[in-house]
Amino acid sequence: SDNISGGSRQKLDENAGSSNVIVVGGASRTVDFKMKESEHRKAGRRLKNMINGDMLMPRMTKHECQMNATENEPKRMVCQPIIGEGVFRFDCSEHARGAAYPSFSFANVKDREAGITTCRLPEYIPVYLSSNGQQIVTVELPVGTCFYGTGEVSGPLERTGKRVFTWNTDAFGYGSGTTSLYQSHPWVLALLPSGDAYGILADTTYRCEVDLCEASMIRFVAPAVYPVVTFGPFSSPSQILASLYHATGNVFMPPKWSLGYHQCRYSYDSDERVLKVAKTFREKGIPCDVMWIDIDYMDGYRCFTFDQERFADPKSLVDKLHSSGFKAIWMLDPGIKCEKGYSVYDSGCENDVWVLQADGKPFVGEVWPGPCVFPDFTQAKVRHWWASLVNDFVGNGADGIWNDMNEPSVFKVILLPCFILLGSSEDYIVLVYGMLMAKSTYEGVKLAARKKRPFVLTRAGYIGSQRYAATWTGDNLSTWEHLHMSIQMVLSLGLSGQPLSGPDIGGFCGNATPRLFGRWMGIAAMFPFCRGHTDSGSIDHEPWAFGQECEEVCRLALLRRYRLLPYIYTLFYMSHTRGAPVAAPVFFADSKDQNLRKVENEFLLGSILVCASTLPDKGSNQIQFVLPKGIWLQFDFGDSHPDLPLLYLQGGSIVPVGRMIQYVGEESLSDDLILIIALDEHGKANGILYEDAGDGYDFYEGEFLLSYYEAELKSSVVTVRVSRSEGSWRRPRRALHVHLLLGSGAKLPQLPLQVDAVGVDGEELHIVMPSASKLASLLAEADSRYRAMMESANRIPDSQPQELPPCKGAELSSIPVELTTGDWALQIVPWIGGRIISMLHAPSGMVHISTYDGLHDELLLQTNLYLHASCGTQWLQGEIEVGGYEEYSGVEYQSAGSSEKYSIIERNLEQPDKDSISLEGDIGGGLVLHRCISLPKEKPEILRISSGIVAENLGPGSGGLSRVVCLHVHPTFTVQHPTEVYVAFTSMAGSKFEFGPESGDLTFEGDGRPNGKFALLIL
């Protein structure tokens, strides 16, 4: 039937009929989409040069579409197979297919448009509704399905019960439930109860709600029209990722040096400071490959310039870094200072490259250098212009470029939806601004050094950004929660098509403790991208800044990473060429095992299982980890430590490792090669090693060596050999060291026996197995040594957080403070944000509560509150709420569903006549929430509650300036005696509403909202 229940799953009956026609018929009624012909032509002109010159020509001008305001019944979507087996595009109708904007996510935009012939039918058919210009797409999956992906998101790895919004946001100090971060991936990976995997992409660059709140149900809500693309079901999540990469493009092949450790802070403020930090790494024997230079290198924060006092000779600085084995990466932001005589600004004006307002004038927003204009990266000519600037800039010696603030982020002004591109108020390309900037930067670096691979790091992005840039998880906090969250976020990004990511190690905002920093370094050393970074107001966050114990753990962690670099580089080659994952959740080892689906303190690095403790009071040896079924043998490099993760190798795996080095340039093809081997239950193992020049593009011409190793146990002898090779390189003459792991595969942490043998790479190597009795004895000895090592390790101390400064007028306390006048008696608890826990109004009659909330002293709401004289004490909780911010009883909601406790930084209770209380709550980024509760003496019948967001301590890197324009304070009230309360108001449309407790929770939107006044009737 075409008329189906809301959100129900439609699984095709493959036994019905004999037709192999794959296009599934739509519903009996189609949804039409209304857009004037002139608007189509305008949109067509805007899109003409967006992505690849004239490649993307919109088809919307071919026909006129109409959209009904509301569709009451969901309908099945129209299906078309695309790209490859098991991939389907769904649209609301044939007309909708023609009206959809071209894809930014697909690597080849034509792939989404061209149908293919296949006999496979989709197993799950999404359904849709249309309501007030929104297209609501729903697909229901079997009960017990788990959800993952959704891109760069905070919070749990398994996403059931969560809702996110794709809206690139400068989310400084985000919380575990923040719903919009720096990147947007309208993508869900579903793991079905059977272990099969399924993926679905809402291919829209409009703001999109990804709603997973209902179990086993995926719902996308975004402005119409857009297609959804489904992948699978396939037998494993790895196949889903490979199929997604086939559509959106594989990750760029990173230069090998970029997989080493990176050191950064905001800001190493002079070339002398940069060189001193680099020298200290070498003196202390802590591996590092890259030094990063933040915006303080610029002349007045003008991009593509250098401060003539602190960075007078950037080429000389880079030459000195290169001589010590370091690379240099420099930051470039999109905001260009409005200043005649500044060459970049003048050139941009001459070439007409700026983002425009609706009136045709350049959009101007304040960023670090002051008033700035912004390149319109949706235009091909602008991307070429930017790439030419990057080309010239790289000539100063830059080895890579860091794109920050490219959501884009603007201070003091609400950027969106007022951010105008190509003279339009459309916001469908906002989400790809950062990706297109990264693409332009990538092309510029490539132009400057044609024989080297570009390395670009971008903060903002869209699904598909992995084609051009790595990313990091933004301005995180120096907390244990954010340490744990970094695992979740790196894995979620990997599940959404971005395998090259990592956090700011130690946290960007705040001061890490020694144990937190050391533990973070141990875990992040196993992440795909590994960089330490911190804010300007924090203490030093270099590995040696937290004492000897932390320094030693950081050294061990990074030496461990560098020994594994041959393997990590191989993983990226496989990801670049075949769409294989690099870091993945542990359930990738066994997608049928329900016990693995919510594990968050473990992850797979290829076939290596990394088990980490994110608990401050427990080391990795004190936690019983959940291991997948089968053989998993623990191993180390003689570096086991309670503050480092445990490493396990899956049975049947061979992992190549290298010698200890301080930077990638120290290694050589002639170095001894080491293979770590864990046999499976059949006595076999295999693995690969990819080797090339580490940079450049000759590998595309076959200039590489890809070796396939295998090991097999027969008659108590393990034979190790190269089974086959690919590439034109000849195998170097080098020694081969084999570490064969033998053990019980016990669940408790214990090292297995390691049997070593030495041979020549490329020749067969034979290892004689010890007898059973000898093996048992050796295993016991190995376990004893491991436990002694753990017990004798110097644990990293953990210092206590600094105490809050003394408060004005009252100590931090849960004791209520009384505020009284002739008419009112209030009890207020300062420590939870000025919550009014008791409110008594003595006389009867009408009482007004005037509430102003927000910036610029704007009066937003006046509430009429009617109280009966005999009502006595009533409890009234204040909730401050809006789509991007809430403040509720001492809890900050940076976005819908995101809560984070804040601390009160000032309590001023020493008012002259005890007629007011002022409080301030720190909400991060240099911002405070100011609240004043007052009883004006001249009007004793008035109770006034005012709240506002105040910028107190903002500076470059804080992120607060861009947050302040996204945070608003709007009031709602909940009376704690609902049986005695009724609410009445007149809507903006003029309708009158009155409802009581029997009405339940109600939400009013649009013109249904109160017209500025509403009444709480307390009977």
Side-chain angles (χ1 to χ4, degrees), residues 476-479 504-508 510-512 516-517 520-521 533 541:
N476 57 358
L477 303 179
S478 296
T479 66
D504 285 343
I505 298 173
F508 177 74
N511 297 323
L516 174 61
F517 188 87
W520 211 324
M521 183 68 77
H533 184 40
H541 273 56

Side-chain angles (χ1 to χ4, degrees), residues 190-206:
L191 199 58
L192 307 181
S194 64
D196 291 349
Y198 174 84
I200 182 168
L201 167 68
D203 200 12
T204 176
T205 57
Y206 278 105

Side-chain angles (χ1 to χ4, degrees), residues 951-1013:
E952 282 207 343
N953 183 25
L954 299 182
S958 73
L961 281 170
S962 54
R963 274 187 70 215
V964 73
V965 303
C966 300
L967 308 183
H968 308 273
V969 183
H970 290 190
T972 62
F973 294 104
T974 302
V975 177
Q976 300 300 297
H977 290 275
T979 59
E980 303 173 356
V981 177
Y982 290 84
V983 177
F985 68 85
T986 301
S987 72
M988 296 171 63
S991 301
K992 295 184 181 297
F993 293 90
E994 182 173 330
F995 49 89
E998 70 280 358
S999 304
D1001 292 338
L1002 298 175
T1003 300
F1004 297 93
E1005 300 177 341
D1007 289 344
R1009 293 175 295 174
N1011 63 0
K1013 296 182 180 181

Side-chain angles (χ1 to χ4, degrees), residues 23 60 91 134 228 244 251 290 294 310 326 340 366 385 394 461 514 558 576 637 668 801 823 880 947:
V23 177
M60 293 179 293
D91 294 273
Q134 299 289 305
V228 296
L244 176 65
V251 65
V290 190
D294 210 319
R310 293 177 289 114
F326 287 93
K340 291 183 178 180
E366 186 169 338
W385 172 80
V394 171
L558 292 175
H576 173 67
F637 298 100
S668 168
D823 289 4
I880 313 297
S947 300

Side-chain angles (χ1 to χ4, degrees), residues 334-579:
I336 302 300
K337 184 177 178 65
C338 297
E339 182 179 66
K340 291 183 178 180
Y342 168 34
S343 61
V344 179
Y345 175 75
D346 293 341
S347 172
C349 292
E350 292 171 5
N351 289 279
D352 190 24
V353 304
W354 308 127
V355 168
L356 303 178
Q357 299 177 126
D359 60 5
K361 297 179 180 179
F363 173 87
V364 178
E366 186 169 338
V367 202
W368 308 133
C372 289
V373 287
F374 299 83
D376 182 356
F377 291 108
T378 64
Q379 300 186 67
K381 73 168 187 177
V382 178
R383 295 197 298 273
H384 295 154
W385 172 80
W386 182 268
S388 67
L389 293 174
V390 173
N391 177 18
D392 295 339
F393 182 77
V394 171
N396 292 291
D399 298 292
I401 299 296
W402 173 16
N403 287 159
D404 196 13
M405 303 291 290
N406 57 339
E407 290 75 30
S409 180
V410 176
F411 305 157
K412 298 183 180 178
V413 176
I414 300 178
L415 179 60
L416 301 171
C418 302
F419 196 76
I420 311 301
L421 296 159
L422 299 174
S424 166
S425 61
E426 304 280 0
D427 58 1
Y428 57 87
I429 49 76
V430 169
L431 301 189
V432 296
Y433 187 88
M435 181 174 78
L436 294 179
M437 180 184 182
K439 178 182 179 181
S440 306
T441 304
Y442 179 91
E443 295 298 336
V445 177
K446 191 173 181 179
L447 281 173
R450 297 180 183 272
K451 294 186 177 181
K452 295 183 179 181
R453 300 174 205 158
F455 182 80
V456 176
L457 184 76
T458 183
R459 188 169 77 175
Y462 183 69
I463 189 165
S465 295
Q466 72 276 358
R467 303 192 294 265
Y468 315 113
T471 194
W472 85 106
T473 59
D475 295 339
N476 57 358
L477 303 179
S478 296
T479 66
W480 288 92
E481 179 190 28
H482 274 251
L483 164 60
H484 184 85
M485 210 153 50
S486 67
I487 302 176
Q488 303 161 340
M489 296 180 73
V490 168
L491 296 181
S492 291
L493 279 164
L495 294 177
S496 305
Q498 174 52 282
L500 187 47
S501 71
D504 285 343
I505 298 173
F508 177 74
C509 179
N511 297 323
T513 64
R515 184 176 299 167
L516 174 61
F517 188 87
R519 196 78 64 80
W520 211 324
M521 183 68 77
I523 297 171
M526 298 292 102
F527 285 157
F529 177 61
C530 183
R531 183 185 76 155
H533 184 40
T534 189
D535 197 3
S536 60
S538 68
I539 61 176
D540 287 346
H541 273 56
E542 290 77 32
W544 54 84
F546 296 93
Q548 293 183 353
E549 297 88 353
C550 181
E551 178 182 327
E552 179 60 19
V553 167
C554 292
R555 183 182 294 106
L556 293 174
L558 292 175
L559 285 171
R560 179 183 275 190
R561 178 181 183 86
Y562 274 72
R563 296 206 66 181
L564 286 169
L565 273 184
Y567 183 58
I568 296 173
Y569 191 59
T570 299
L571 291 177
F572 270 101
Y573 173 76
M574 299 302 291
S575 184
H576 173 67
T577 57
R578 305 179 191 182

